[in-house]
Amino acid sequence: DNNFIAELRKSICPRYSLNKIDIPQEYITVAVHIRTGGGFYADHDKKREKHPLRFVPEQFFIQQIDRIAHMFPEQKLYIHIFTDHQQPKVLKKRFKEALNNPLLIFDCRKNNNSHSSNVLEDFFSMMDFDCIIRPASNFSKYIQYLGNNKIAIFPSGLHKDAQGKAVIDTISIVTRDAVGSPWHEKKVIIA
């Protein structure tokens, strides 16, 4: 319901100016929201086991960045990692090395990152990216619904392997032509 979304956008907005991420205009922009349980007391091992689609392995994000790179061949992608990880530069380095693609420009917060810092700045910044790759997290789900993203990718199904470990086997790719237009969802089996 576009009228309801419009009302939510009016109600859910910053009361004061925020230091949002400066997004370069000459790229396809990709927000990557990674929850690692970077210090929040409720993000413990039992919570991770109970909510495996919320705490998604790095490989999932690497595969989905590669998927978006293939959707836009020959175009540069600016990929910003939004995370509660206390050392986001470590994630940035691993992603860059794993994908090894000169068309992918990676970025993240350089300092002062934790589960309790930059929360509103990140929330409102992610809304302005062309694409979002996210876990099954309410935080990033609301970003997708309230924001300007045209593509969103998130895990939507899993199975347990022989050792009882959760393995993501289905993703949802939702797209829309323009802000305010309806989302079109496609489920893709990945495992």
Side-chain angles (χ1 to χ4, degrees):
D1 181 346
N2 285 331
N3 291 328
F4 180 67
I5 295 292
E7 284 301 314
L8 283 176
R9 284 188 182 127
K10 281 195 275 186
S11 299
I12 303 172
C13 62
R15 288 184 178 186
Y16 53 88
S17 179
L18 296 172
N19 291 325
K20 293 180 8 176
I21 300 299
D22 187 25
I23 304 171
Q25 299 301 310
E26 63 274 13
Y27 298 91
I28 302 292
T29 58
V30 182
V32 180
H33 179 225
I34 303 172
R35 289 203 53 194
T36 62
F40 186 54
Y41 76 94
D43 291 346
H44 47 74
D45 288 341
K46 284 187 178 183
K47 180 77 83 174
R48 287 175 219 245
E49 287 175 24
K50 187 174 181 182
H51 302 285
L53 297 179
R54 188 181 303 163
F55 298 98
V56 179
E58 288 178 23
Q59 191 59 34
F60 168 83
F61 295 102
I62 290 168
Q63 290 168 348
Q64 302 323 310
I65 292 168
D66 190 50
R67 181 182 303 279
I68 290 177
H70 281 87
M71 292 170 142
F72 300 98
E74 311 292 323
Q75 294 190 47
K76 289 185 178 179
L77 271 60
Y78 171 79
I79 300 145
H80 193 96
I81 298 170
F82 295 89
T83 184
D84 57 1
H85 194 285
Q86 294 177 355
Q87 296 179 351
K89 289 188 276 188
V90 171
L91 294 176
K92 174 184 155 185
K93 182 176 187 252
R94 286 199 293 253
F95 283 31
K96 184 176 181 177
E97 288 173 356
L99 288 156
N100 193 26
N101 181 338
L103 295 174
L104 306 181
I105 310 302
F106 288 90
D107 204 359
C108 63
R109 289 203 184 272
K110 308 297 187 280
N111 49 39
N112 300 327
N113 203 62
S114 74
H115 69 282
S116 61
S117 61
N118 309 306
V119 175
L120 290 177
E121 291 83 355
D122 287 358
F123 184 86
F124 289 101
S125 291
M126 280 191 267
M127 287 184 183
D128 294 329
F129 280 71
D130 299 317
C131 311
I132 184 169
I133 301 170
R134 64 175 186 81
S137 154
N138 285 331
F139 182 81
S140 51
K141 183 192 300 185
Y142 290 121
I143 290 164
Q144 174 192 329
Y145 292 143
L146 298 174
N148 301 314
N149 316 121
K150 292 188 180 107
I151 297 173
I153 300 176
F154 53 92
S156 55
L158 57 84
H159 69 272
K160 299 278 184 169
D161 67 10
Q163 290 77 37
K165 182 178 176 184
V167 177
I168 296 169
D169 60 15
T170 308
I171 62 169
S172 289
I173 302 172
V174 292
T175 59
R176 62 181 171 182
D177 298 326
V179 174
S181 66
W183 286 102
H184 304 284
E185 182 172 6
K186 177 172 88 172
K187 294 210 182 264
V188 177
I189 306 299
I190 60 171

